[in-house]
Amino acid sequence: MDDPQPNQWSKAIGAYVGVLSTLLALATAELLALIFPGNPSPVFGIAGRVIDLTPADIRENLITVVGTNDKLFLGIGIVLVVLALGAVVGTKFRNRPESAWTVYVILGLVLGVIAAPSAYILWSIAASVIGGLVGWAILVALLRRRVDAETNQQQPALSRRGFLLASGVVAVVAAGGITTIAAIRSSREQGVERVRSALSLPRPVKKALPVPAGAAVDVKGMTPPVTPNDDFYRIDTALTPPTVDVTNWSLSISGKVDNPFTLTYADLMAMPQIQKRVTLACVSNPVGGDLVGNALWQGVPLTALLDRAGVQPGAQQIVGESVDGFTVAFPLELALDGREPLVAVGMNDEPLPVLHGFPARLVVPGLYGYVSATKWLSKIRLTTMAEETPFWVQNGWIADGRIAAASRIDVPSSDAEVRVGNVVVAGRAWHQEVAVGAVEVSVDSGPWQSTKLADSMGIDCWRLWSWNWAATPGQHRIEVRMIDANGTVQSSRRTDPGPGPSSGYDQIMIDVSD
Ligand SMILES: Nc1nc2c(c(=O)[nH]1)N[C@H]1C(S)=C(S)[C@@H](COP(=O)(O)O)O[C@H]1N2
Ligand SMILES: [Mo]
């Protein structure tokens, strides 16, 4: 085989150096982002915009998508795109790297603007442009050319050895920088976790009733009445959960109020707190899905904050904004109809876990998370409907976020080995606002049969149910449906989530052996 053409070699070297230069540019910008106000990370910022701008046809799955480790792939994808751009720039400018500076500055500017968290655009631009200039300096240092005095021809300023050595050093520095960034990020997370675990919740002025012993269904594999924090589903747009320093955190109440005010964490902790057990659900939960959890929340009643602020007559909705700029909104009247929304600081007798919104979040009984449950809460605003459209509604989800009637089968799981005879079928049902009236099951499209409801934990919570099935050999299909306290049967129309909640009966297929 012949040697590759010299020109192809120089292209490959240009691409390689271009990749190295953008890797170091990104590492520099990310490192600066850790120090700069607002922590304007280019990679996480761009990922946030990608999530915001995802087109309508994939929008339906958006909430669940960002709830999984697809976020990691999004981050890696963004880095790869930037490195690919670097390869192109390195190839194009391999013989005149000095003049590439405009490209690096423009790329830095564009990235900085796109990635900017709302209030920190200048810091974001500064981080990306400085990163870009460092990348350019690397390109120049490695690809610089000089004119040979004897032949009067251009040739690389670095010897082959010098080039290998220098590019090796750059690669090591970039790898070291990225490791450092990861280490700083994780130590920040641990720092917040240390602060959080040292905190304790004040004694509530009103405690929730204890969970009745009969609220559980005692069968192997069945969901407990209250979801432990580690098992509670997590859905949000945050690539990494915001790490909030409680000594600097504050919560402001503003907009159409007479007396806008701001609370520190200490202020909030000093206010009378109550406990409430509430089932939180995600609108993108498919039929039979797991994006629902029941916890004991502790916090300050939202109405206490509204009373202190003095809501003006023109106010129509409550907007909750997080430290990372995510917003939800729900009608003011739903906060005032007695359902007792909370600014929650505690979850199952612990300070709110970081993943679930530390230091404070909104919890509004009966409303889906996407319209109500702002985690890492920093601002509450009273506005008119026209003034502000919340995040998920901008993304096509319906504005009415009341939780629909739903039921599901938890056991047996579809892959369970089931023998002929008595089999316990059990699950959960919920219809906050109205309450569960009855749960029925049907085997192989046979008649609907009543199940036994476990004790209620209150209308804001799901209710467990169970049914003794005399299982016969063969394959069977079991369906479940809920009838609410008003006698309304849950909708049987099968729909997927988006732009509203899913509907239809959950079912399992079971193979029963002799
Ligand atoms: N800051 C912030 N809060 C948020 C979200 C988010 O993306 N960012 N997602 C909401 C959605 S869609 C749901 S269903 C709930 C989920 O809360 P959890 O993760 O504690 O279960 O949080 C809500 N609060
Ligand atoms: Mo959600």
Side-chain angles (χ1 to χ4, degrees):
M1 273 242 338
D2 286 341
D3 259 4
Q5 296 297 306
N7 189 40
Q8 266 165 342
W9 264 119
S10 90
K11 274 190 182 167
I13 287 174
Y16 166 61
V17 173
V19 167
L20 275 185
S21 74
T22 36
L23 193 63
L24 210 70
L26 268 185
T28 306
E30 288 293 337
L31 212 53
L32 290 173
L34 289 177
I35 313 164
F36 283 179
N39 299 135
S41 154
V43 175
F44 293 117
I46 300 273
R49 289 307 91 74
V50 172
I51 291 170
D52 295 357
L53 297 174
T54 302
D57 46 339
I58 25 183
R59 201 177 274 161
E60 272 87 272
N61 293 316
L62 195 59
I63 299 186
T64 35
V65 164
V66 298
T68 69
N69 47 12
D70 289 15
K71 286 180 191 173
L72 181 65
F73 295 116
L74 182 55
I76 293 172
I78 289 164
V79 171
L80 289 181
V81 167
V82 174
L83 297 187
L85 276 174
V88 172
V89 175
T91 315
K92 284 251 175 290
F93 288 85
R94 65 188 182 279
N95 292 325
R96 46 188 179 97
E98 291 83 358
S99 45
W101 73 272
T102 40
V103 180
Y104 280 84
V105 170
I106 290 171
L107 270 180
L109 266 173
V110 171
L111 218 84
V113 170
I114 301 178
S118 42
Y120 303 97
I121 185 155
L122 289 180
W123 289 107
S124 173
I125 291 174
S128 292
V129 169
I130 295 172
L133 289 173
V134 168
W136 171 66
I138 295 299
L139 194 80
V140 172
L142 292 178
L143 293 181
R144 208 161 27 98
R145 300 175 77 81
R146 62 181 172 83
V147 179
D148 186 281
E150 279 163 27
T151 63
N152 210 21
Q153 277 187 343
Q154 283 218 349
Q155 48 175 245
L158 288 177
S159 68
R160 185 173 283 224
R161 254 184 99 190
F163 175 80
L164 283 177
L165 202 71
S167 67
V169 168
V170 171
V172 168
V173 168
I178 290 164
T179 315
T180 310
I181 293 162
I184 294 177
R185 280 190 172 271
S186 91
S187 88
R188 275 192 189 170
E189 276 163 34
Q190 284 162 13
V192 174
E193 191 45 53
R194 261 198 307 281
V195 170
R196 187 192 84 89
S197 50
L199 292 168
S200 54
L201 296 172
R203 239 189 133 69
V205 294
K206 192 173 110 198
K207 293 195 76 150
L209 292 173
V211 176
V217 171
D218 191 14
V219 48
K220 192 166 166 281
M222 180 56 186
T223 315
V226 178
T227 317
N229 289 353
D230 287 344
D231 298 341
F232 207 94
Y233 80 96
R234 172 198 171 194
I235 290 288
D236 53 64
T237 60
L239 253 89
T240 52
T243 46
V244 176
D245 172 5
V246 278
T247 52
N248 288 328
W249 176 86
S250 65
L251 172 62
S252 66
I253 320 282
S254 65
K256 297 201 173 308
V257 294
D258 294 331
N259 319 299
F261 63 92
T262 299
L263 299 171
T264 63
Y265 188 67
D267 294 339
L268 193 64
M269 293 302 259
M271 292 182 74
Q273 297 190 359
I274 64 167
Q275 286 181 329
K276 264 185 101 69
R277 213 168 276 109
V278 176
T279 296
L280 186 64
C282 184
V283 69
S284 61
N285 199 25
V287 173
D290 261 326
L291 302 178
V292 56
N294 188 44
L296 176 67
W297 307 95
Q298 176 173 329
V300 174
L302 179 62
T303 47
L305 300 179
L306 297 179
D307 287 347
R308 176 164 159 195
V311 176
Q312 294 173 349
Q316 292 171 328
Q317 67 176 352
I318 298 181
V319 177
E321 187 178 315
S322 71
V323 297
D324 59 346
F326 170 89
T327 58
V328 300
F330 56 96
L332 171 63
E333 69 213 41
L334 293 186
L336 305 176
D337 67 0
R339 69 182 70 215
E340 284 191 312
L342 291 183
V343 173
V345 293
M347 181 176 184
N348 291 331
D349 293 313
E350 289 178 23
L352 213 54
V354 171
L355 287 177
H356 297 289
F358 179 77
R361 77 175 302 169
L362 283 168
V363 173
V364 187
L367 297 188
Y368 285 116
Y370 80 110
V371 295
S372 69
T374 311
K375 304 193 276 189
W376 314 291
L377 182 66
S378 69
K379 293 179 181 134
I380 294 173
R381 268 190 304 278
L382 285 115
T383 72
T384 61
M385 298 286 188
E387 252 172 284
E388 208 162 328
T389 311
F391 180 81
W392 289 119
V393 179
Q394 277 175 32
N395 280 278
W397 289 78
I398 60 170
D400 180 358
R402 278 170 300 177
I403 299 179
S407 56
R408 51 160 289 154
I409 300 170
D410 294 4
V411 289
S413 62
S414 299
D415 52 2
E417 276 187 30
V418 173
R419 310 291 304 260
V420 176
N422 184 44
V423 173
V424 179
V425 178
R428 290 166 273 167
W430 57 92
H431 194 191
Q432 296 93 330
E433 297 195 354
V434 183
V436 176
V439 172
E440 297 179 336
V441 292
S442 150
V443 180
D444 301 328
S445 304
W448 289 100
Q449 318 197 37
S450 318
T451 69
K452 178 172 179 284
L453 290 181
D455 286 352
S456 166
M457 294 178 279
I459 82 161
D460 301 323
C461 298
W462 64 31
R463 196 153 171 190
L464 277 47
W465 57 267
S466 62
W467 180 67
N468 290 315
W469 177 35
T472 53
Q475 210 196 37
H476 299 286
R477 188 171 66 97
I478 306 180
E479 278 181 292
V480 65
R481 70 178 187 183
M482 191 252 283
I483 299 165
D484 69 23
N486 294 337
T488 308
V489 181
Q490 171 192 342
S491 165
S492 62
R493 203 169 76 89
R494 188 89 194 196
T495 58
D496 288 329
S502 61
S503 67
Y505 300 160
D506 187 25
Q507 59 175 33
I508 52 167
M509 305 293 283
I510 284 290
D511 268 319
V512 179
S513 57
D514 282 307

